[in-house]
Amino acid sequence: MTQGIIVTGTDTGIGKTVFAAALAGALGATYWKPIQCGLDDDGGAGAGDRDRVQALSGLAPARLLPERYRLAMPASPHRAAEAEGIEISLADLAAPDVQGPFVVEGAGGLMVPVNRQALMIDVFAAWRWPVVLVARTALGTINHSLLSIEALNGRNIPILGIAFVGDEMPDTERTIAEMGNVRALGRLPHIAPLDRDSLAHAFAAHFDIEDFR
């Protein structure tokens, strides 16, 4: 049976895709984002996170699986799908059979609606794979992170740990890990310029790959 690592976030636009690219590249994994929204957003032009992950991870094209849903509107999956006259089916989100490490990136945060009946977290609950929760270190992250941890625990979804993105905030990172009773896996700093080599170097410097095996 396929066993993957789910990469999700406390919010949208927090660096989840960059972290997923770093993790997939370090593991030599297969990457999959089953739902892609916002293809007509600024800079989209038909490109999505899969293209960005390929550029940042160095993975071979065969290791980047096609999305089940590619949606133009930069909105939550349920709304973006409705704009195109379709409804996302949970049956379409069944995990593919993959050999070796498998990194799966969710769309947005945990409570994002997939359709009018289900949330992204419900998909994760069906998979029952360990989750890496990506959180920014900026103001407000304690609340967002602890709420996300509580939601995962409430559905008995295993949490591998929390990965921070942003400037170092030792007390914030410690508070979330201790109060959420989760492992702090590391922190990915802001990287400029961001490319494959700089991302791989930053990930290796701030994370232990054995924590993800």
Side-chain angles (χ1 to χ4, degrees):
M1 180 179 295
T2 297
Q3 174 69 50
I5 295 175
I6 298 167
V7 175
T8 189
T10 58
D11 201 349
T12 189
I14 61 171
K16 174 166 54 70
T17 297
V18 173
F19 175 82
L23 177 60
L27 288 172
T30 298
Y31 168 86
W32 185 44
K33 183 167 186 173
I35 305 173
Q36 173 70 65
C37 303
L39 291 175
D40 67 355
D41 201 4
D42 290 345
D49 291 332
R50 174 160 52 103
D51 304 272
R52 193 177 189 202
V53 168
Q54 182 174 11
L56 290 175
S57 69
L59 292 172
R63 289 198 172 274
L64 294 110
L65 303 184
E67 304 87 348
R68 295 281 166 82
Y69 293 91
R70 289 176 57 85
L71 304 167
M73 179 182 286
S76 66
H78 81 293
R79 184 68 191 96
E82 288 175 351
E84 299 185 25
I86 61 177
E87 180 176 345
I88 294 174
S89 169
L90 296 188
D92 288 339
L93 302 180
D97 187 17
V98 171
Q99 299 298 315
F102 190 26
V103 173
V104 182
E105 181 184 352
L110 292 167
M111 307 305 280
V112 167
V114 173
N115 54 36
R116 292 288 173 176
Q117 294 78 42
L119 305 168
M120 200 76 238
I121 195 171
D122 297 319
V123 178
F124 299 158
W127 291 341
R128 293 292 174 196
W129 296 342
V131 165
V132 175
L133 181 65
V134 179
R136 59 165 62 96
T137 57
L139 184 65
T141 193
I142 294 176
N143 178 66
H144 293 164
S145 298
L146 294 181
L147 283 171
S148 297
I149 292 166
E150 185 169 309
L152 290 165
N153 287 335
R155 287 168 172 78
N156 296 314
I157 300 172
I159 304 173
L160 185 63
I162 188 162
F164 294 100
V165 176
D167 296 331
E168 184 178 16
M169 297 289 287
D171 185 74
T172 294
E173 297 168 39
R174 175 186 172 188
T175 299
I176 293 170
E178 290 182 350
M179 298 194 74
N181 193 28
V182 296
R183 178 170 48 169
L185 296 166
R187 179 184 57 85
L188 198 63
H190 293 297
I191 304 169
L194 177 60
D195 56 31
R196 174 185 172 186
D197 290 340
S198 62
L199 180 59
H201 177 77
F203 185 86
H206 293 272
F207 293 87
D208 183 351
I209 193 59
E210 294 304 319
D211 288 339
F212 302 92
R213 297 191 190 277

